[in-house]
Amino acid sequence: MNPTPSTTAEKSSRTTPGRAGKSDAPAATASQTLDLFVQSQMAKLTGGVSPIGMGLAFMDWACHLATAPGKQMELLMQTYAVPVTADGKLADGRFSGPDWQLWPYQQYAQNFLQCQQFWEQATTGIRGVAPHHSQVVNFTARQLLDMLAPSNFLATNPEVQRAAVESGGRSLADGTLNWRKDVCRKLAPPGMAVPEPADASYRPGVEVALTPGVVVFRNELMELIQYQPQTPTVYREPVLIMPSWIMKYYILDLSPENSMVRYLVEQGHTVFMVSWHNPGAAERNLGMDDYLQRGLYAALDQVTAICQQAPVHTVGYCLGGTLLAIGAAALGAPSGPKHGTLASVTLLAAQTDFSEPGELGLFIDDSELAFLDALMWKQGYLDGDQMAASFQLLHARDLVWSRMMREYLLGQRSAPNDLMAWNADATRLPFRMHSEYLHGLFLRNDLAEGRYQVGGQPIALADMAGPLFVVGTERDHVSPWRSVYKLHLLSPATIDFVLASGGHNAGIVSEPGHAHRSYRRLADGAGGGYRSPDQWLAQSELVEGSWWPCWQQWLAQHSTSKRVKPPVLGQGQTLGAAPGHFVLDA
């Protein structure tokens, strides 16, 4: 059997860095091309979801349920108790309003919750069903039920009806206009004038990404920004931030009041930031090794030179954190490459062990990746809208159906903010890189199990040198905190673990003074050996406020005590002012 194009690309990328626009993998045969073409057309119709994988999951579930009379009897005899809270209200936020306590709306909600409870029982706990298949069926059932919830329809939602009556129908008219604007934006061909989205007023370099700085290095993959110092003296060790290339870098430099970059420079740190190029079809063959060599290592070389060989505090966020862990493990190996010295490694919501990736893992199996590979093979990349749709699906109740009810039935638009604008500023992922990432890390877990290779040599996270500061977030659907916590099992280095309130983005953008923010921390030095995530959670201390000051103090403790004069921006040679050109790539 001949290897597929994605497989050969994965193998070759571990020894030879890919080059944009060129392929160092064997060309696909005619039969493989035909297969990829057919699967890519099917993937376009299904949004990248494999109907084969879905069918196998439902067949596995249905066949085992058919041979489980005890489970069938349990489902038939189960009591139809409606989930309620201590005060007697329905235990679902969608039906918490007083109008839902009235007949017949209370009956609608009760019937829905009973149905939801039935399907939760029917799709779990069946002997013989593969765990992945059980999770897929359970997830699909929840998505279908959430779509049919009585809160989503005018005829069965008393709150929508009350708003329509009290506004004289204005709420429904506003909702119709909101729907029309969204449809026009979605269907408009390029160049056609359409209504601007509410968050379009947040533009990099104008309303966001405003921390003063200059671009000091640029290659075809990234720009390196050095920020202007805000204090007369600075810590000797600079801070290099590697953001994810799934989204634009300015998540960490939003408005001045919630910019992590501005906070760090005001505390006396010399800060560098990588801004990734937004790839197109021509960059389809960029691989993970390209992002390592021409991204992380190239930036480390520049920072080390500008800061006169000082050790570097490195920070990685999400996928950028995974890349940083790979690079740090390779640098720490006895025969590893040399690219400066790491003073510390900070990982923000970044997974290194992908054995339990949460509900995102529902989209990761051989069948699903075959369809996704075919879709990316046709396009040359994974589009930002396709990624956003997958993330929204994980929390469709809040991000899709509740939002549509609020905007299209109640006629209410959420007030725009900088975080919403950043979230809408999507990027693309190159075909080869994303295929390597999903196959090698998510599907096979090569990094955690010692099979991931850099420069033809397998690396181990046990070689990560220096102290580690690791941040997880409580409600993270991209990098679940218990998965992030698994680094304790993979590295003997000293780890300070922090669990921040909030989700994958809002938990990281948690500036001092932000209301309703807290974090938990228990340093490794507190005594004792390994703690399970639940043990750590029980023993950790809850601290009100932002985790940023805690981290900044940690950086200071691992820096030279004597402050120095700030380094010259780009050693006197710059390529323009921040935020640079790449962040503006559409």
Side-chain angles (χ1 to χ4, degrees):
M1 176 179 174
N2 292 328
T4 65
S6 63
T7 305
T8 52
E10 289 170 44
K11 292 180 179 178
S12 62
S13 71
R14 295 173 186 159
T15 56
T16 306
R19 290 293 177 264
K22 298 180 181 179
S23 174
D24 50 9
T29 65
S31 61
Q32 290 171 346
T33 301
L34 177 60
D35 293 345
L36 286 166
F37 174 76
V38 171
Q39 291 180 354
S40 70
Q41 298 306 304
M42 294 178 63
K44 286 174 64 176
L45 294 175
T46 63
V49 175
S50 168
I52 300 171
M54 189 73 69
L56 289 173
F58 273 87
M59 183 177 295
D60 185 9
W61 166 76
C63 290
H64 282 91
L65 179 60
T67 58
K71 181 68 174 181
Q72 295 174 27
M73 186 178 301
E74 177 185 319
L75 292 173
L76 290 173
M77 296 178 63
Q78 74 171 16
T79 59
Y80 282 82
V82 181
V84 295
T85 59
D87 59 4
K89 293 184 178 180
L90 298 175
D92 191 305
R94 290 170 291 185
F95 314 119
S96 60
D99 288 338
W100 285 103
Q101 309 308 312
L102 304 176
W103 188 90
Y105 307 107
Q106 185 182 50
Q107 192 64 47
Y108 296 156
Q110 287 180 353
N111 291 343
F112 172 78
L113 292 177
Q114 288 169 348
C115 184
Q116 184 174 259
Q117 183 174 268
F118 173 85
W119 281 105
E120 176 67 24
Q121 294 292 326
T123 56
T124 56
I126 302 175
R127 287 173 52 83
V129 180
H132 178 69
H133 289 165
S134 178
Q135 293 165 3
V136 168
V137 174
N138 178 266
F139 177 81
T140 304
R142 280 190 284 118
Q143 299 309 307
L144 293 174
L145 285 169
D146 285 340
M147 180 174 63
L148 299 174
S151 56
N152 296 339
F153 302 96
L154 171 62
T156 53
N157 188 325
E159 296 172 337
V160 171
Q161 295 173 12
R162 179 182 292 275
V165 171
E166 292 179 348
S167 66
R170 179 61 183 268
S171 60
L172 295 178
D174 289 344
T176 302
L177 289 175
N178 290 339
W179 173 82
R180 180 178 178 275
K181 289 177 182 178
D182 290 346
V183 171
C184 288
R185 276 196 296 269
K186 190 71 175 178
L187 301 180
M192 176 178 287
V194 294
E196 287 289 333
D199 53 15
S201 59
Y202 293 92
R203 297 162 294 177
V206 182
E207 290 87 13
V208 292
L210 294 176
T211 305
V214 296
V215 177
V216 298
F217 176 77
R218 179 186 295 124
N219 60 24
E220 66 273 32
L221 191 58
M222 63 92 175
E223 292 178 327
L224 181 65
I225 300 171
Q226 180 182 359
Y227 290 95
Q228 183 176 319
Q230 302 293 315
T231 53
T233 60
V234 297
Y235 293 99
R236 177 172 178 262
E237 293 79 6
V239 176
L240 170 62
I241 303 177
M242 301 294 297
S244 171
W245 53 97
I246 292 176
M247 288 287 186
K248 302 288 182 71
Y249 84 86
Y250 65 92
I251 175 67
L252 301 176
D253 186 26
L254 290 169
S255 303
E257 64 273 10
N258 62 353
S259 166
M260 178 183 286
V261 171
R262 180 176 290 269
Y263 175 78
L264 288 173
V265 294
E266 288 177 347
Q267 302 303 312
H269 294 279
T270 299
V271 179
F272 293 81
M273 174 75 75
V274 167
S275 174
W276 299 103
H277 170 57
N278 193 8
E283 289 84 21
R284 63 183 298 124
N285 288 316
L286 285 172
M288 285 290 291
D289 196 62
D290 291 290
Y291 282 86
L292 179 65
Q293 301 293 342
R294 291 187 275 163
L296 173 61
Y297 287 164
L300 269 174
D301 291 340
Q302 294 297 318
V303 172
T304 300
I306 292 172
C307 296
Q308 301 179 352
Q309 308 304 310
V312 181
H313 291 300
T314 52
V315 184
Y317 181 22
C318 187
L319 180 52
T322 303
L323 183 76
L324 174 57
I326 292 170
L331 293 174
S335 59
K338 305 301 178 184
H339 295 280
T341 303
L342 303 188
S344 70
V345 174
T346 296
L347 302 179
L348 307 178
Q351 293 182 96
T352 50
D353 184 311
F354 292 80
S355 59
E356 295 179 352
E359 287 193 329
L360 197 59
L362 296 174
F363 301 98
I364 309 298
D365 57 34
D366 290 294
S367 178
E368 182 61 43
L369 292 190
F371 270 70
L372 192 56
D373 278 346
L375 183 64
M376 293 189 295
W377 167 82
K378 180 68 174 177
Q379 299 174 162
Y381 55 81
L382 184 66
D383 188 78
D385 289 340
Q386 293 165 330
M387 281 189 291
S390 296
F391 292 140
Q392 286 181 349
L393 190 60
L394 295 177
H395 284 271
R397 175 187 298 184
D398 298 322
L399 299 181
V400 179
W401 305 117
S402 292
R403 180 187 62 82
M404 291 177 65
M405 184 273 290
R406 184 178 64 255
E407 295 188 356
Y408 301 156
L409 295 182
L410 292 175
Q412 303 171 355
R413 286 285 199 192
S414 299
N417 58 51
D418 50 5
L419 190 58
M420 289 172 55
W422 167 83
N423 195 55
D425 194 4
T427 60
R428 296 174 289 273
L429 296 179
F431 160 54
R432 178 174 171 178
M433 168 265 140
H434 198 45
S435 182
E436 291 171 355
Y437 176 58
L438 293 179
H439 284 273
L441 298 181
F442 268 97
L443 189 62
R444 297 196 302 266
N445 204 21
D446 286 347
L447 179 58
E449 297 180 11
R451 292 186 296 271
Y452 195 94
Q453 294 188 11
V454 172
Q457 297 296 322
I459 63 169
L461 292 171
D463 289 330
M464 292 178 67
L468 300 175
F469 193 95
V470 180
V471 180
T473 57
E474 291 179 348
R475 298 186 299 277
D476 198 328
H477 60 279
V478 179
S479 303
W481 78 265
R482 284 179 170 81
S483 180
V484 173
Y485 187 87
K486 284 177 175 288
L487 183 59
H488 285 82
L489 298 171
L490 304 173
S491 174
T494 300
I495 298 176
D496 274 297
F497 187 82
V498 163
L499 179 61
S501 61
H504 186 72
N505 299 324
I508 300 300
V509 183
S510 180
E511 72 283 359
H514 194 129
H516 311 300
R517 287 288 187 257
S518 63
Y519 65 93
R520 290 184 173 274
R521 187 190 186 201
L522 178 65
D524 260 12
Y530 169 76
R531 300 174 180 84
S532 71
D534 290 333
Q535 288 175 324
W536 182 93
L537 188 63
Q539 297 174 21
S540 61
E541 177 187 2
L542 177 64
V543 182
E544 297 296 332
S546 167
W547 61 268
W548 289 8
C550 170
W551 174 49
Q552 192 279 320
Q553 293 169 13
W554 184 89
L555 289 175
Q557 291 168 5
H558 293 88
S559 300
T560 305
S561 57
K562 184 178 179 180
R563 306 268 284 252
V564 300
K565 290 184 177 180
V568 177
L569 291 177
Q571 295 180 323
Q573 298 180 350
T574 66
L575 301 174
H581 299 304
F582 285 177
V583 74
L584 304 177
D585 289 345

